Amino acid sequence: MNTNILIIGGTGKTGRRVVEQLQKKGIEPRIGSRDASPSFDWHNKDTWVGALDGIEKMYVTYYPDLAVPGAKEAISSLTYLAKELGVKKMVLLSGKGEIEAEACENIVMNSGIDYTIVRASWFNQNWSESFFLEPVISGEVALPMSDVLIPFVDVNDIAEVAATVLLDDTYNGQIVEVTGPELITFKDIIKIISKTSQRNLNFNEITLEQYIEGMRKMHMPNDVVWLIEYLFSHVLTNPKNQQVVHDVERILGRKAKTFLEYAEETAKTGTWNQSEMNMSK
């Protein structure tokens, strides 16, 4: 059992896939989550020492995002402890174009621990495993800023890159930017999901204020509402985020997955046809 690698967020969207990538290589990492043993809870520092005991390398994701209030303090405390306990390397998942996330990056970069920063664009899987899924299932998708170009990236590509740089020290000291291979708008995405899932999805352009109010009415957690408002108002329109970067191809030796490829795979699972399945029961 190789338990000298810790995956914080090891049951989350990227973390569980990083675990799978390592397992394919015969490595059994330690899972950093509240339900794991030893447990890791961002909100309970008493759990951190046990989770980091004997760890040499770690992959770190902060939920829901490095931009949220409190993230910088948590990353600072964790990084200090990691160094004290002898952790040799950290791979931090960050977000492209987020000033607050870059503050967290700097903490890791200046810690004296070897590091690789993985800066990701918006996830394809937000449409199948996160906050965009419910509107897709309902058939009514209402979003602001429908014409903004975004290089959506597949989470499986992120995880494969993260696992690679975690194990390969030639990437130490680098900031790796992971994007998809194309710029795509929300309108484009709804057309692709409609086609691949063989459903008629209605897309409605709304204001950011209307979108935030809708999330509050759905009783979404305050930190998630804050994050979505921040991402739409500050990150989505950042010119840094409207660029395709080819680090996935550079590191993995293959092209990044397109949104269409992701949509075709997801459509086969029936994830987007749940409303039809429910109606047929």
Side-chain angles (χ1 to χ4, degrees):
M1 288 281 286
N2 299 289
T3 55
N4 62 342
I5 295 178
L6 173 66
I7 309 299
I8 292 180
T11 57
K13 275 199 287 295
T14 64
R16 63 183 169 84
R17 289 172 166 94
V18 173
V19 170
E20 289 166 5
Q21 287 290 331
L22 294 174
Q23 288 172 336
K24 286 179 186 177
K25 302 176 189 296
I27 298 168
E28 281 295 336
R30 185 178 298 170
I31 307 296
S33 74
R34 280 177 295 194
D35 296 328
S37 182
S39 172
F40 179 90
D41 185 346
W42 278 112
H43 302 292
N44 181 3
K45 290 183 181 179
D46 292 341
T47 64
W48 296 8
V49 173
L52 267 66
D53 182 42
I55 293 300
E56 293 182 6
K57 296 184 175 185
M58 56 196 289
Y59 172 73
V60 180
T61 62
Y62 186 85
Y63 181 84
D65 193 274
L66 289 178
V68 302
K72 182 180 176 182
E73 291 75 16
I75 293 296
S76 180
S77 297
L78 180 73
T79 304
Y80 177 83
L81 179 63
K83 187 175 183 182
E84 288 289 301
L85 294 177
V87 173
K88 302 288 192 296
K89 181 174 179 178
M90 290 176 65
V91 174
L92 178 70
L93 181 67
S94 186
K96 276 172 60 64
E98 298 179 18
I99 294 171
E100 289 81 357
E102 289 176 13
C104 294
E105 294 174 8
N106 288 331
I107 291 167
V108 174
M109 291 162 67
N110 295 322
S111 67
I113 301 174
D114 283 333
Y115 69 87
T116 306
I117 306 296
V118 178
R119 278 187 193 156
S121 185
W122 281 36
F123 300 172
N124 290 346
Q125 279 73 10
N126 286 342
W127 299 92
S128 53
E129 300 177 22
S130 193
F131 48 89
F132 291 146
L133 174 59
E134 194 172 319
V136 169
I137 291 173
S138 74
E140 296 289 336
V141 182
L143 287 169
M145 304 181 188
S146 61
D147 292 316
V148 174
L149 290 162
I150 309 165
F152 270 89
V153 63
D154 198 87
V155 168
N156 293 295
D157 286 347
I158 299 172
E160 194 172 340
V161 166
T164 300
V165 302
L166 189 61
L167 298 175
D168 188 341
D169 290 341
T170 60
Y171 298 102
N172 286 5
Q174 292 189 23
I175 296 175
V176 173
E177 298 203 339
V178 285
T179 74
E182 66 203 334
L183 294 169
I184 192 166
T185 68
F186 290 144
K187 283 181 180 175
D188 297 329
I189 282 170
I190 298 308
K191 287 176 184 174
I192 291 171
I193 295 177
S194 294
K195 185 175 181 181
T196 55
S197 64
Q198 298 181 323
R199 296 180 58 215
N200 292 317
L201 301 181
N202 295 319
F203 183 86
N204 301 292
E205 171 79 43
I206 58 173
T207 66
L208 179 56
E209 290 73 22
Q210 288 172 319
Y211 188 57
I212 298 303
E213 182 60 28
M215 285 197 294
R216 289 201 175 101
K217 286 180 179 175
M218 291 167 62
H219 303 293
M220 292 185 73
N222 288 334
D223 58 350
V224 174
V225 174
W226 181 93
L227 175 62
I228 299 303
E229 184 171 17
Y230 168 80
L231 291 174
F232 272 95
S233 59
H234 289 82
V235 179
L236 202 62
T237 54
N238 186 324
K240 289 182 183 178
N241 293 328
Q242 296 168 1
Q243 300 170 352
V244 170
V245 182
H246 299 286
D247 282 355
V248 171
E249 187 171 354
R250 174 172 70 89
I251 292 169
L252 302 182
R254 61 165 177 80
K255 292 190 180 300
K257 186 177 291 185
T258 65
F259 192 88
L260 177 59
E261 290 170 326
Y262 151 77
E264 287 173 341
E265 292 173 5
T266 303
K268 290 175 184 174
T269 68
T271 297
W272 290 324
N273 298 86
Q274 292 179 41
S275 58
E276 294 174 13
M277 288 190 287
N278 291 339
M279 288 172 65
S280 64
K281 286 181 181 177

